[in-house]
Amino acid sequence: DAKTTQPNSMESNEEEPVHLPCNHSTISGTDYIHWYRQLPSQGPEYVIHGLTSNVNNRMASLAIAEDRKSSTLILHRATLRDAAVYYCIPPGAGGSYIPTFGRGTSLIVHP
Amino acid sequence: ETGVTQSPTHLIKTRGQQVTLRCSSQSGHNTVSWYQQALGQGPQFIFQYYREEENGRGNFPPRFSGLQFPNYSSELNVNALELDDSALYLCASSSRTGGAGANVLTFGAGSRLTVL
């Protein structure tokens, strides 16, 4: 199974961009990278996913390194509501998508 | 479309008792996964159900069992409760289309279990 490494925590100021890194050096060529976030007292919610090229949606952007060994979730303008734990998730083994969560990165946003 | 709903939201049990947690999957989804989340930790995978059959299991003892029904809703049963079973139990539904790696999970808000 692919493993991921994320910093335990990061801090940002409101209205500033945030770059959340993830290393996934053991990922295979067909594995998507998914990002979820978990707001306090809520279940995780999907943020974005990608395979090879950079991806954008209304919540964030995902920049995937050319060698696919790392990716960065980009929040273009952090708000207080973005304070959450962000999880970088590799897919499960054998093509059966069973996401395995680590401890994620706890993002603190200062007003 | 409706999201994933879980019940009950909170419950308190004593050691040795049994508990059943319920999950209604999002409309159009045919796969349900259950996770246990202890305080300060990431969600830990318990098992997944697809077409009413268990389709993968994490490192949890047999006293954790589940069911998926024809309407794709699901139950998580835990027998002989232990203090360490106190956690947030999360249900997530997904649809097996577009390739396994592209499937997106939709989570419920969870059921908070306290074992005394």
Side-chain angles (χ1 to χ4, degrees):
Chain A
D1 289 359
K3 304 297 182 188
T4 62
T5 303
Q6 298 179 254
N8 289 332
S9 65
M10 293 185 64
E11 298 187 31
S12 172
N13 294 317
E14 206 174 6
E15 303 292 317
E16 291 184 353
V18 180
H19 291 231
L20 299 164
C22 179
N23 289 321
H24 32 79
S25 58
T26 60
I27 196 172
S28 76
T30 57
D31 289 344
Y32 282 79
I33 285 294
H34 291 239
W35 284 78
Y36 289 79
R37 72 178 185 180
Q38 188 170 20
L39 302 172
S41 301
Q42 295 187 26
E45 64 174 344
Y46 165 78
V47 177
I48 199 166
H49 74 284
L51 184 60
T52 56
S53 56
N54 296 343
V55 184
N56 300 293
N57 66 20
R58 64 175 180 81
M59 291 181 69
S61 295
L62 178 60
I64 301 172
E66 194 170 336
D67 63 6
R68 298 202 345 110
K69 294 184 183 302
S70 65
S71 62
T72 301
L73 180 70
I74 303 167
L75 307 179
H76 295 285
R77 293 180 66 190
T79 70
L80 297 179
R81 288 194 70 255
D82 291 323
V85 178
Y86 287 79
Y87 297 99
C88 166
I89 308 294
S96 61
Y97 185 55
I98 299 175
T100 302
F101 289 75
R103 298 190 67 168
T105 297
S106 178
L107 175 65
I108 300 166
V109 180
H110 300 286
Chain B
E1 58 183 21
T2 57
V4 175
T5 56
Q6 293 187 244
S7 63
T9 54
H10 296 83
L11 69 166
I12 300 173
K13 293 285 189 177
T14 56
R15 273 188 306 174
Q17 285 189 312
Q18 179 265 344
V19 68
T20 297
L21 307 178
R22 295 177 175 83
C23 171
S24 294
S25 58
Q26 180 170 303
S27 176
H29 285 184
N30 56 18
T31 302
V32 173
S33 303
W34 285 91
Y35 290 81
Q36 179 196 66
Q37 186 173 27
L39 206 59
Q41 305 292 319
Q44 299 299 305
F45 174 72
I46 302 175
F47 41 58
Q48 183 182 88
Y49 278 85
Y50 171 62
R51 291 185 174 178
E52 303 178 52
E53 292 191 2
E54 189 177 289
N55 179 60
R57 187 179 184 92
N59 189 26
F60 281 82
R63 59 190 184 84
F64 285 78
S65 63
L67 284 172
Q68 186 181 33
F69 300 99
N71 66 353
Y72 305 121
S73 65
S74 178
E75 285 183 357
L76 164 65
N77 298 290
V78 187
N79 294 322
L81 283 167
E82 302 176 359
L83 296 179
D84 286 348
D85 295 334
S86 295
L88 180 68
Y89 288 84
L90 295 161
C91 169
S93 72
S94 58
S95 177
R96 289 203 164 191
T97 57
N103 284 355
V104 171
L105 298 180
T106 301
F107 282 85
S111 294
R112 172 76 61 188
L113 171 65
T114 301
V115 182
L116 302 176

